[in-house]
Amino acid sequence: MSMFILGCGYLGQRVAAQYLQTGVPITGSVRSRISMERLQQRGIVPLMLDLDRHPLPQLPLAGSSLFYFIPPATGGSNDPRSAGIVEAFRRQGSPRRLVYLSTTGVYGNCAGEWVDEQRIPAPAVPRALRRWDAEQTLRAWSRESGGELVILRVAGFYGAGKLPLERLRKRLPMVREEEAPFSNRIHVNDLVTVCQAAMERGRAGEVYNVSDGHPTTMTDYFDRVADVAGLARPPKISLHQARQNLSPGMLSYMQESRRLLNRKMLDELDVSLQFPDLATGLPACFDDA
């Protein structure tokens, strides 16, 4: 059975490496020649693909197992990329199973409440609206084609090479702890495990929250990263001051607060997390560096 990763970057290359270790060949899509060479060096069959260019080329995805890790393009509240790939499925043949990497942002602001998969999505910011649109596009494809779809609503993931170290070095401020929203995370190694489990054991049509189950505030996260990295903790400002000092992207995250329940992921996908909290996960980022 053919295995594909659409969007074979930071996460995709780690997922591919796990399959390659067990002798499963895997093809990954990227957008540049340099990235193609990087995949070749790692034993991944490269595929040049730009979902923003139409019509899409012939894609050997019929009957495959497909990870869809490509994010929506920026701008607007819809996701033309997922619509384009579904149109390609209709013309060229559909994958047998598709695991889609969505975001917990589709739940919107939950005022710090605990959130499971039964929570009705209420996306508010454009980045979450685009992911929600992609989820609906892929659900429609699954109903129409019979292809199996598993949706992972993933918290922010971190790992070696994916920490806010540059932001800390620049001494950019963060909101005071008492005003900071709850946020959720998962170590990239555990996310790789969950992705594989979703492909192998996820129930078709289901949604799984993906997080380590131990949310903290965003400020606590930045402070902990600074401590482990040996950097100064960021200066603290009020939420009112943040509206004048933080980037629009960071502000959009500061306006939403939720705590994710991950019991369904643990039970149905039968995964054990290697790094169930920041205390275990952050030091490992520097061990792997």
Side-chain angles (χ1 to χ4, degrees):
M1 181 179 299
S2 55
M3 181 79 67
F4 285 83
I5 298 176
L6 292 184
C8 199
Y10 180 86
L11 171 62
Q13 290 173 31
R14 285 161 171 77
V15 171
Q18 293 302 306
Y19 280 104
L20 291 173
Q21 285 181 9
T22 60
V24 177
I26 194 156
T27 299
S29 82
V30 289
R31 297 179 65 177
S32 72
R33 293 289 178 188
I34 293 176
S35 296
M36 288 184 70
E37 293 172 3
R38 187 177 298 118
L39 295 193
Q40 286 179 317
Q41 292 169 359
R42 298 182 179 185
I44 305 166
V45 178
L47 174 69
M48 180 79 81
L49 179 63
D50 184 347
L51 291 186
D52 296 329
R53 292 192 173 186
H54 298 278
L56 296 179
Q58 187 68 32
L59 301 172
L61 301 178
S64 68
S65 298
L66 176 64
F67 291 101
Y68 185 176
F69 293 161
I70 296 176
T74 57
S77 58
N78 297 322
D79 178 30
R81 290 178 176 174
S82 58
I85 198 69
V86 164
E87 181 56 35
F89 293 163
R90 293 190 180 108
R91 291 186 286 104
Q92 304 176 17
S94 288
R96 175 193 66 86
R97 167 167 281 227
L98 189 156
V99 173
Y100 178 62
L101 201 77
S102 186
T103 174
T104 60
V106 300
Y107 294 117
N109 181 23
C110 303
E113 294 179 1
W114 286 97
V115 175
D116 66 12
E117 293 83 354
Q118 298 304 309
R119 181 91 176 201
I120 297 174
V125 297
R127 57 181 165 76
L129 289 166
R130 292 190 289 269
R131 292 285 191 175
W132 179 241
D133 181 67
E135 285 192 20
Q136 303 316 301
T137 296
L138 293 171
R139 282 195 179 95
W141 158 76
S142 180
R143 291 192 299 269
E144 172 189 303
S145 69
E148 298 177 356
L149 173 66
V150 179
I151 295 174
L152 302 179
R153 290 181 179 155
V154 181
F157 59 92
Y158 67 97
K162 196 171 177 62
L163 294 172
L165 299 181
E166 191 58 31
R167 194 180 194 285
L168 290 168
R169 292 188 183 105
K170 291 180 178 178
R171 302 286 291 143
L172 297 177
M174 278 299 298
V175 172
R176 292 189 302 233
E177 173 77 13
E178 60 270 23
E179 295 186 83
F182 282 106
S183 61
N184 306 267
R185 286 157 298 275
I186 187 164
H187 192 284
V188 68
N189 290 7
D190 287 326
L191 178 54
V192 168
T193 298
V194 172
C195 287
Q196 288 185 279
M199 181 62 76
E200 296 161 14
R201 298 186 291 277
R203 287 192 293 145
E206 290 297 318
V207 172
Y208 297 92
N209 287 345
V210 181
S211 76
D212 63 18
H214 289 88
T216 66
T217 67
M218 191 173 293
T219 301
D220 176 71
Y221 171 65
F222 277 85
D223 283 350
R224 288 178 184 235
V225 172
D227 292 347
V228 176
L231 298 170
R233 290 185 171 189
K236 306 303 191 296
I237 58 178
S238 70
L239 189 57
H240 176 74
Q241 291 172 310
R243 295 188 178 97
Q244 286 78 46
N245 287 273
L246 298 185
S247 68
M250 179 61 75
L251 272 178
S252 74
Y253 287 106
M254 301 304 295
Q255 292 166 1
E256 296 185 348
S257 181
R258 53 188 167 266
R259 289 179 286 178
L260 290 180
L261 291 164
N262 66 355
R263 178 51 55 190
K264 182 178 178 182
M265 175 196 81
L266 296 174
D267 290 348
E268 291 194 11
L269 300 184
D270 191 25
V271 297
S272 297
L273 298 181
Q274 184 180 4
F275 304 111
D277 51 35
L278 290 173
T280 55
L282 284 177
C285 297
F286 296 89
D287 294 340
D288 294 344

